[in-house]
Amino acid sequence: MRKKSTEEELGTSPPVSNRLSRFLPSCVFAQMGVPLFLNPLDQLFPEGACYYVNILVFTAILYQEYSDVAINREIQRQQGKEPGTEEEGSDGTPSPSNLSPSSSFRSSRGSAFALWQDIPDVRTSGQLDNFSNEERKLQEAKFELVTSEASYIRSLTIAVDHFMLSQELTECLGAQDKQWLFSKLPEVKDVSERFLQELEHRLEEDILRFDVCDIVLDHCPALQRVYLPYVTNQAYQEQTYQRLLQENPRFPGILSRLEEDPICQRLPLTSFLILPFQRITRLKMLVENILKRTTPGSRDEDTATKAFNELKTIIKECNSSVQSMKRMEELIHLNKKINFEGKIFPLISQSRWLVKHGELLEVDTQMMSISGSKLKLPTRPVYLHLFNDCLLLSRRKDAWKFMVFVHAKIGELKVKDLSQKLQGISGFIFHLQLCEVHFKQIPFIHPLFLSAVADTSQVQCIKSYQAQEHDELTLEKADILHAKTITSDGWVEGIRLSDGERGWFPKTYVEEITSRSARLRNLRENIRIKCVTQKLKVDD
């Protein structure tokens, strides 16, 4: 008998169709006791009933592996380093050797990913030679969205059925811990399965000229409904996982046994829990690749643009929700460590967040003395907490406690750069004046000197980075940015091409795009997407 899903048991949503996905034959193999890697699909289905013979190898690959290979391939393409391809010509025409965004993909096990052009019905249709190079690329980009969704659901199924529904794991976790650890993962899986079913139906209707962006657009409200709460729960999820490892004596052993099961392919639970964060971003990139290849001015371009914009909105809302959650958690944490001299200052506020914090050196200007040619500056440490709307200056009571002796609103501050006037002194020196209320003037030396070097080069993210401060920028692999400033201590200020977001990130997380033709192509693609997006807004 079919195992009931968590949603059916709880009565939270209607069950999905029992129709077997042609991209996910592993469930059939398991029921029949047939090894997954050895049997072609045409042994399981009547002749002609399944188009996707060589999807079998693809579905053996979990989404984690697919995602790594696919994004690294995109990085190579955007840098002009794609293996087996030539640089674009001077007229911007793509090399004919690159027939698909996914061609030549290989997993770490050496298995090639499935391609649209390799589907038997496509090969035997006699129509493939009538497709232009760009038309083939477009169909491959659409097909990759479908196959990657199938791989994603395979990994989600392991996360839910193998981990979340594990009887042993359930018995060692409390109800609240289980909720924080897995959040709305079953709901995410349910929505994704419905999404894949519609994509597959579309493929069956017209394997040669199918579209997917209208289906993406139709499913965006459902995606937003499940992804937003799941992503928002990220902070609690991470904290719960670490706390269970440290405080629940049974959890590490049970988790280790579950992770050692061959179905996990040596991947940890955490790699399954972060799948929704990765997928919603990847889905936007897949639609963007389709948009780049659609015919300008066509109805397909209009639909792809709308789907792309909706996905961007979902991601923006997810990031904003996560950021708000983290900011509030940070304020609550700080409020326990900070004490005020005199009047109590209400630190916790929905509209407040921490921008920067760190230790500075307060200079006693009245005690300045000159000995020979050296300027002696009597100093003492002061800790600064700079928020978006106020500033706190404090002394350390101990390693974790602070006593605030000055606090002021941002509008009450005046800052003057003294670095040029006090030459010969290392560090960034500024004069801080607290006006109207405190009338206290304090000069500081920042312990870190930043020698900014202007650089408008194009860089690409090669390793995901999560912003730690308000002025930093969260990066996903394959993001392209203009590098505006590079500091001597290894930080870069950049502007992301896709959305114009600006912020700081470590230099080690990006790599310069040295190919001129690759930079020009990246700019052209970005300009086109911006143009169609703006046109859509005007038309609406």
Side-chain angles (χ1 to χ4, degrees), residues 228 231-236 316-332 348-354 466 470:
L228 188 57
V231 171
T232 303
N233 184 63
Q234 179 184 11
Y236 291 113
K316 186 175 182 179
E317 290 180 359
C318 286
N319 290 335
S320 177
S321 180
V322 170
Q323 193 69 264
S324 297
M325 178 73 73
K326 287 184 175 180
R327 287 170 176 174
M328 183 54 63
E329 288 286 318
E330 190 171 38
L331 283 178
I332 293 172
I348 299 177
S349 170
Q350 286 283 354
S351 60
R352 177 173 296 133
W353 64 86
L354 184 65
Q466 183 65 43
H470 174 66

Side-chain angles (χ1 to χ4, degrees), residues 21-119:
S21 166
R22 293 176 177 171
F23 291 86
L24 296 171
S26 55
C27 57
V28 181
F29 295 149
Q31 293 169 4
M32 299 180 62
V34 180
L36 174 62
F37 294 91
L38 301 179
N39 294 75
L41 293 183
D42 54 7
Q43 292 181 5
L44 300 176
F45 296 93
E47 184 177 358
C50 183
Y51 299 121
Y52 316 119
V53 174
N54 71 335
I55 297 299
L56 174 59
V57 177
F58 179 83
T59 51
I61 300 170
L62 293 181
Y63 185 76
Q64 293 92 318
E65 185 175 5
Y66 155 76
S67 182
D68 286 342
V69 175
I71 293 176
N72 288 336
R73 173 77 156 142
E74 183 67 9
I75 289 174
Q76 290 181 326
R77 187 192 75 83
Q78 292 175 164
Q79 290 182 334
K81 298 179 181 179
E82 199 168 26
T85 62
E86 300 173 2
E87 295 283 1
E88 289 183 346
S90 58
D91 60 350
T93 304
S95 165
S97 61
N98 182 19
L99 296 181
S100 89
S102 305
S103 59
S104 301
F105 271 9
R106 288 195 172 271
S107 72
S108 60
R109 298 174 181 82
S111 301
F113 286 83
L115 299 178
W116 166 78
Q117 60 194 354
D118 292 333
I119 297 174

Side-chain angles (χ1 to χ4, degrees), residues 331-390:
L331 283 178
I332 293 172
H333 181 66
L334 278 175
N335 195 53
K336 297 177 182 178
K337 301 195 300 182
I338 294 177
N339 296 314
F340 291 83
E341 292 180 353
K343 185 179 180 181
I344 299 298
F345 181 79
L347 186 63
I348 299 177
S349 170
Q350 286 283 354
S351 60
R352 177 173 296 133
W353 64 86
L354 184 65
V355 177
K356 283 289 183 183
H357 67 99
E359 193 166 74
L360 308 179
L361 297 177
E362 180 183 357
V363 181
D364 188 346
T365 54
Q366 296 181 352
M367 298 296 293
M368 283 186 183
S369 62
I370 298 179
S371 176
S373 59
K374 294 184 178 180
L375 180 65
K376 291 185 177 180
L377 299 175
T379 61
R380 58 176 174 170
V382 172
Y383 206 90
L384 175 147
H385 288 93
L386 177 63
F387 298 88
N388 62 307
D389 62 345
C390 64

